[in-house]
Amino acid sequence: MTTHPDDILHLTVCTADDGGVCLRLVGELDWESAGDLVETAREQLGRQPRPAVHLDCAQLSVCDSTGLSALLMVHRDVTAAGASLRLDNRPAFLDRMLALTGTLDHLTGTPSRTARLDGDGTDAPR
C-alpha cells in the first residue's frame, strides 16, 4: 500500500466552545496514525482538567479497525479523567462503522437505528 502525504492524519488542537479541548482530525485514522491520536489526547488530558474532549471528525476520510480501537482508548482515558468524549461532525461512514460494531451508543450516547428497531423494521415502543 502506498501512502500519500495527503492521506496521513493531521491533528489540530484548539479550545472548544464549552471550554473543553477540540482535536480536529483531518485524513485517515488507521494503523499508522491511531497512536498519534491516543498520544495527543492523553497529552491534552494531562495539561489541565477539561470538561470534555471533542474530536471533530468532519474531515476524517478513513477509520479502520485500529482507528476504532484508538477511539475506544481515548474514550476510556477521557472517562477515567472525569471528562466526556464528543465525536462531533461524524461522517456517515463513521456512524455506519460504529453502528455495525455496536460501539455507537458507547462512544456517542446515541443508540443506533438498528438497536431501536424491532423485528419487523418499525420503531420499537420505548
Side-chain angles (χ1 to χ4, degrees), residues 1-99:
M1 178 168 98
T2 303
T3 302
H4 297 23
D6 294 339
D7 295 338
I8 57 177
L9 183 69
H10 298 280
L11 294 168
T12 305
V13 179
C14 58
T15 302
D17 292 339
D18 64 2
V21 64
C22 178
L23 302 177
R24 288 195 177 106
L25 288 66
V26 178
E28 297 181 358
L29 180 57
D30 59 14
W31 67 274
E32 291 185 77
S33 61
D36 295 338
L37 173 61
V38 173
E39 181 181 327
T40 301
R42 287 178 179 163
E43 287 173 1
Q44 293 304 312
L45 284 169
R47 291 183 189 258
Q48 66 182 25
R50 302 282 189 148
V53 173
H54 297 260
L55 299 182
D56 184 346
C57 302
Q59 296 182 51
L60 187 64
S61 59
V62 169
C63 183
D64 70 4
S65 60
T66 308
L68 174 59
S69 177
L71 293 175
L72 291 166
M73 284 188 271
V74 169
H75 181 270
R76 181 187 62 211
D77 292 343
V78 167
T79 301
S84 60
L85 179 65
R86 304 281 187 253
L87 298 182
D88 299 334
N89 305 312
R90 295 183 313 272
F93 79 85
L94 183 59
D95 271 347
R96 179 169 168 74
M97 181 181 73
L98 297 178

